Amino acid sequence: MENFVHITLGVSLVMFLYLIKTIVLEGIDYMMYWCSYFQKLIQTNKDVQTLNLVNSVTQKTITLRSPEWISYVFKVLSPEGTPLNRDTLEYFFSATETDEILALFDRHNTGSIDEKTFIDTWLNVAYEKKKIKNVVEYKNVLLKKLDYLFSFIFIPIMLFTFMTILGKTEYFTTYGSIVVGFILPLSFIFAGVIGDLFKSIVFVFFVRPFEVGDKIEMMDKIYIVDEIGLLYSTFLNNSLNVTMSNIEIMNKNIVNYRRSEFYEKKYTLKFDIDVYKRVVDDFKKELKNLIDEHSKLLKKKFKLENIVVKEEGKLEVDLIIYADIHSHNLMEGIDEFSIRLDKLVNEIKQK
């Protein structure tokens, strides 16, 4: 009877330790996914429902990530290729459905949706859906690795607890001393690795500076997070696969585009001092008009600052603009604006 009580108590304590491990893993799971992505998941699912609503005019199965298909849907809504507006949409949809579509595709409240904006917005939603799916998959892989690590730590503790309650510690001590005698010399060799492992776990699971699929800026380079490991993470840079240790990454400044609202772009413009004084007001007006033309990408505010006087009557001034960092065609839009800006600067200098 006494042995039965001891066994029952031992099993209960082992189950309690197992429960603690499970709770810790579930807590990490909650912090990694639900805290960061739950609201995003709800919004993305809502946006996908809106895409299905728009796609219903074709009476065909939706294709989420095909620009050709998205263009076809746009042409069904607007055969002549003119921008969509409320009147156009209400021909196909109810007023409530139209409000839902405009809320997704016309977030800048311009009153119209051209084909390019239509395609870009659709692809943005498709990209978010795919990214969240990838995050969930890699989150499960990471948690599985962490589960193995926790098991490696908890199983000896469970065995020791169970054997202690049964009064069989001599067996555990005998075999444990053999194992410790084998592991102890190795601990001196791998002490640094073990320390790095636990630092990396804190970095990956608790600091969480990025997730799989995130676009980040690090060391003045743009990377796409491809895979996150317990010790090493893999990134894509210009289609090149780059692997870095998490400890190395911890010491870098990381800009996460997903967690940012706007991308700040700086141009250093050069003028003659006399020319700048003469044209600065006109330049600001023309610049405002140019930014308004790119209102679906650029925020309306801009800055002209940090004027530096150079030799021979020259000066340099920094122009800072703010672009929607979540735009699907962010870099293409910035490149197009840069070309237009260069043309504007050359024209304004001739005045």
Side-chain angles (χ1 to χ4, degrees):
M1 183 67 181
E2 185 177 350
N3 285 338
F4 177 76
V5 172
H6 287 166
I7 291 173
T8 303
L9 180 60
V11 171
S12 299
L13 285 175
V14 167
M15 294 301 295
F16 177 71
L17 290 173
Y18 181 80
L19 178 63
I20 290 176
K21 186 193 80 161
T22 303
I23 291 173
V24 170
L25 288 173
E26 289 297 325
I28 293 173
D29 182 18
Y30 176 80
M31 287 189 298
M32 284 184 65
Y33 179 65
W34 295 107
C35 285
S36 300
Y37 280 93
F38 183 65
Q39 292 300 325
K40 190 71 175 176
L41 178 63
I42 292 175
Q43 184 60 50
T44 301
N45 286 338
K46 180 181 177 182
D47 291 343
V48 171
Q49 288 177 358
T50 303
L51 296 186
N52 280 304
L53 171 64
V54 174
N55 188 80
S56 65
V57 299
T58 67
Q59 298 183 343
K60 296 179 181 179
T61 304
I62 190 172
T63 305
L64 271 180
R65 293 191 294 272
S66 170
E68 293 78 14
W69 176 259
I70 304 168
S71 179
Y72 167 71
V73 176
F74 183 86
K75 287 180 172 58
V76 171
L77 294 169
S78 177
E80 297 180 359
T82 56
L84 303 174
N85 54 37
R86 177 172 291 276
D87 292 337
T88 307
L89 292 172
E90 287 187 347
Y91 179 80
F92 297 95
F93 308 101
S94 68
T96 302
E97 291 171 338
T98 297
D99 289 339
E100 182 181 331
I101 294 168
L102 288 173
L104 174 61
F105 287 94
D106 186 28
R107 291 180 175 174
H108 296 280
N109 298 317
T110 60
S112 66
I113 308 166
D114 58 39
E115 183 174 358
K116 189 172 186 299
T117 302
F118 185 83
I119 294 174
D120 289 343
T121 303
W122 185 305
L123 289 175
N124 277 339
V125 174
Y127 171 75
E128 284 297 325
K129 179 179 173 63
K130 181 181 178 182
K131 186 169 75 171
I132 291 176
K133 179 183 177 183
N134 289 340
V135 166
V136 173
E137 290 175 352
Y138 276 102
K139 180 264 299 179
N140 291 335
V141 171
L142 272 177
L143 284 176
K144 192 172 183 179
K145 292 179 180 178
L146 191 63
D147 188 17
Y148 290 151
L149 179 63
F150 278 10
S151 297
F152 181 78
I153 296 171
F154 271 85
I155 287 176
I157 297 175
M158 292 176 184
L159 287 174
F160 179 75
T161 302
F162 188 72
M163 299 298 284
T164 300
I165 291 174
L166 292 180
K168 305 292 185 180
T169 53
E170 66 274 8
Y171 296 106
F172 191 87
T173 304
T174 301
Y175 292 108
S177 60
I178 296 174
V179 174
V180 170
F182 176 74
I183 293 177
L184 189 60
L186 296 178
S187 66
F188 291 102
I189 300 174
F190 296 104
V193 175
I194 295 172
D196 288 348
L197 175 61
F198 281 97
K199 289 179 184 177
S200 182
I201 287 173
V202 172
F203 179 71
V204 170
F205 290 98
F206 297 98
V207 179
R208 295 183 296 110
F210 46 71
E211 305 283 359
V212 170
D214 282 356
K215 180 186 289 186
I216 64 172
E217 184 174 334
M218 183 169 54
M219 298 177 292
D220 297 324
K221 293 182 179 179
I222 303 297
Y223 297 92
I224 302 296
V225 182
D226 185 51
E227 185 176 352
I228 303 173
L230 292 183
L231 279 172
Y232 293 88
S233 295
T234 305
F235 307 88
L236 295 177
N237 173 249
N238 295 327
S239 300
L240 298 176
N241 194 291
V242 181
T243 300
M244 302 182 194
S245 72
N246 292 333
I247 299 302
E248 178 185 355
I249 299 169
M250 287 172 63
N251 299 320
K252 308 296 183 186
N253 291 324
I254 301 171
V255 178
N256 190 320
Y257 283 20
R258 174 176 60 85
R259 296 179 180 177
S260 305
E261 185 177 0
F262 290 101
Y263 172 76
E264 186 176 296
K265 174 71 174 177
K266 183 175 77 172
Y267 300 90
T268 299
L269 309 177
K270 298 180 180 180
F271 290 90
D272 290 332
I273 293 177
D274 293 337
V275 172
Y276 185 76
K277 289 180 179 179
R278 187 176 71 250
V279 303
V280 61
D281 291 334
D282 290 339
F283 178 56
K284 288 180 179 179
K285 291 178 183 177
E286 294 295 333
L287 186 57
K288 182 179 181 302
N289 292 335
L290 179 59
I291 289 175
D292 286 343
E293 291 178 20
H294 295 77
S295 61
K296 290 183 171 63
L297 174 68
L298 302 180
K299 194 174 181 181
K300 290 187 176 182
K301 77 170 187 176
F302 63 89
K303 293 181 181 178
L304 281 172
E305 60 183 20
N306 298 332
I307 296 177
V308 178
V309 177
K310 298 291 186 177
E311 297 177 353
E312 300 178 356
K314 306 285 186 181
L315 66 77
E316 291 181 352
V317 58
D318 290 338
L319 166 64
I320 299 175
I321 61 169
Y322 303 89
D324 181 1
I325 207 165
H326 302 293
S327 174
H328 179 73
N329 63 332
L330 173 64
M331 292 306 169
E332 292 177 7
I334 290 292
D335 289 343
E336 180 184 340
F337 176 83
S338 299
I339 294 171
R340 295 283 304 278
L341 175 64
D342 182 67
K343 182 180 179 182
L344 172 61
V345 170
N346 289 330
E347 289 176 351
I348 209 75
K349 286 179 180 179
Q350 304 303 319
K351 290 189 176 182

